[in-house]
Amino acid sequence: MYESGLVDAVMIATPHYDHPPEARKAFAAGLHVLIEKPAGVYTKQVRQMNEAAAASGRKFGIVYNQRMNPLYVKLRELIASGELGEIRRTNWIITNWYRSQAYYDSGSWRATWAGEGGGVLINQCPHQLDLWQWTIGMMPSRIRAFCHFGKHRDIEVEDDVTAYVEYPNGATGVFVTTTGEAPGTNRFEVSGDRGKIVVENGNMQFWRLRESEREFNKRNHVPFAAPECWKVELPPFGRSPEHVGIMQNFTDAIRHGTPLVAPGEEGIRGLSISNAMHLSTWLDDWVDLPFDEDLYERELNRRIAGSRHSKRAELQSAAPVDLSGTH
């Protein structure tokens, strides 16, 4: 198909490890590429994919459909415009990714190091990890994470994660996620020296300080005083086009040169954060970004070597098929 001359672009929605090699083949054939998240399993292979994309001159997008969500677009605009001032803290608790054991048992590749390359960080959370850095406009400088592997389910990868990050400007952040909690929460909070924004339940709340906290603190002499704060009412933002929006934008980029909302090259950013969380847990230490990509690959390969993916695949292929309910 790649070499047929009958197609202009491909969308790659294979298991995770195959995203970069399939994309490289497509670029070599002169095709535009739209890949599903995640960009890949480890940054080293994704970096090679990005280099192939740049050399090809073709359009390269990734299905970060939440970049089309008007809530996060507005959050990004407010931060970039300086409405929140300097970012001081981010907190994202995303625990509404509930997945049962039946979900994990539905495919031999799921929740294995050899088949999937990770758990909740690599499968469910790439959207949040991307938005975490995209909306505030900066990557963490270092990470200390605590990933629990098979804590709630009979799986070999992470299903419960708490991570603490530090940013280049001195700000801090916390990221909490799991697939074993019900009911779950999805709450993203960003605090700056000019206020606070909370995105939760499809809504945005914005508390705006009349003056920056820093300036208030300089002039204030009253022991229990606090900066004057206004709750800003924001109009409805409308529905998110998500996948449809990403695919339309990708098509427009090819046909009309419209800038991509989610350039494929940026997929490495969220993946860098999840890789660093894994590595921090494996080494039981802080990890600076950028990290040693060769070290991550070695540590990942150690876990792949002991993965039960191949054994599960053999068991599933050998299992008898019940056709009694089919016609």
Side-chain angles (χ1 to χ4, degrees):
M1 184 185 72
Y2 287 179
E3 298 171 357
S4 68
L6 301 176
V7 296
D8 302 306
V10 293
M11 181 175 180
I12 297 172
T14 60
H16 307 154
Y17 280 105
D18 293 333
H19 290 181
E22 288 296 336
R24 293 200 304 270
K25 291 177 188 175
F27 288 129
L31 302 177
H32 304 286
V33 174
L34 180 63
I35 60 167
E36 257 293 356
K37 56 80 184 171
V41 173
Y42 54 99
T43 56
K44 187 175 180 180
Q45 65 166 182
V46 170
R47 198 173 301 282
Q48 295 167 348
M49 175 179 64
N50 289 353
E51 291 169 356
S56 74
R58 302 290 89 184
K59 299 297 182 183
F60 179 33
I62 185 169
V63 186
Y64 278 152
N65 60 49
Q66 289 303 304
R67 287 195 183 189
M68 304 300 297
N69 190 323
L71 280 172
Y72 297 114
V73 172
K74 177 56 69 175
L75 175 61
R76 175 179 162 91
E77 289 176 355
L78 289 171
I79 292 172
S81 68
E83 287 291 330
L84 277 186
E86 184 180 30
I87 299 302
R88 291 187 165 181
R89 187 184 308 277
T90 66
N91 293 279
W92 203 328
I93 176 169
I94 171 70
T95 58
N96 62 347
W97 287 123
Y98 184 79
R99 297 293 185 270
S100 67
Q101 188 66 45
Y103 165 83
Y104 291 115
D105 292 343
S106 66
S108 63
W109 72 288
R110 291 193 184 280
T112 62
W113 292 113
E116 192 166 11
V120 63
L121 292 176
I122 202 76
N123 193 320
Q124 283 78 35
C125 283
H127 294 299
Q128 285 73 40
L129 294 175
D130 172 62
L131 292 172
W132 198 20
Q133 58 83 29
W134 183 69
T135 54
I136 68 171
M138 60 180 170
M139 288 279 289
S141 55
R142 66 175 192 154
I143 292 177
R144 182 65 175 100
F146 301 88
C147 299
H148 299 271
F149 306 103
K151 181 176 183 179
H152 303 291
R153 302 289 180 261
D154 181 20
I155 58 176
E156 62 190 40
V157 294
E158 81 283 351
D159 60 354
D160 192 290
V161 178
T162 299
Y164 173 83
V165 304
E166 294 179 351
Y167 295 98
N169 71 338
T172 61
V174 175
F175 190 87
V176 178
T177 189
T178 182
T179 55
E181 191 169 301
T185 298
N186 184 359
R187 177 184 174 94
F188 185 26
E189 183 174 311
V190 184
S191 297
D193 72 343
R194 291 297 303 265
K196 178 176 73 173
I197 294 178
V198 176
V199 178
E200 185 176 21
N201 298 326
N203 297 303
M204 176 183 291
Q205 294 179 299
F206 180 19
W207 290 268
R208 178 74 149 74
L209 300 185
R210 183 175 183 180
E211 61 182 319
S212 79
E213 185 280 328
R214 184 179 289 104
E215 293 301 317
F216 170 83
N217 189 57
K218 281 182 181 179
R219 67 170 181 78
N220 176 64
H221 299 287
V222 180
F224 291 97
E228 183 178 347
C229 182
W230 307 326
K231 186 173 182 181
V232 181
E233 295 296 330
L234 298 168
F237 299 113
R239 297 182 64 182
S240 173
E242 303 199 357
H243 280 80
V244 172
I246 283 289
M247 294 180 73
Q248 185 64 61
N249 174 246
F250 179 64
T251 304
D252 291 343
I254 295 171
R255 299 186 64 200
H256 310 300
T258 303
L260 287 164
V261 172
E265 294 85 354
E266 295 183 10
I268 199 170
R269 297 179 185 174
L271 184 64
S272 294
I273 297 173
S274 65
N275 278 185
M277 289 181 183
H278 280 153
L279 193 58
S280 173
T281 301
W282 294 337
L283 301 179
D284 194 20
D285 201 356
W286 284 92
V287 168
D288 293 330
L289 279 77
F291 54 86
D292 185 335
E293 293 181 343
D294 291 328
L295 174 60
Y296 182 86
E297 187 179 12
R298 289 196 300 272
E299 290 293 329
L300 176 62
N301 283 333
R302 285 180 55 197
R303 285 149 184 88
I304 290 173
S307 176
R308 55 185 172 181
H309 166 58
S310 57
K311 184 176 180 180
R312 286 176 62 185
E314 291 171 5
L315 288 172
Q316 286 196 4
S317 63
V321 179
D322 183 4
L323 299 177
S324 61
T326 63
H327 299 281

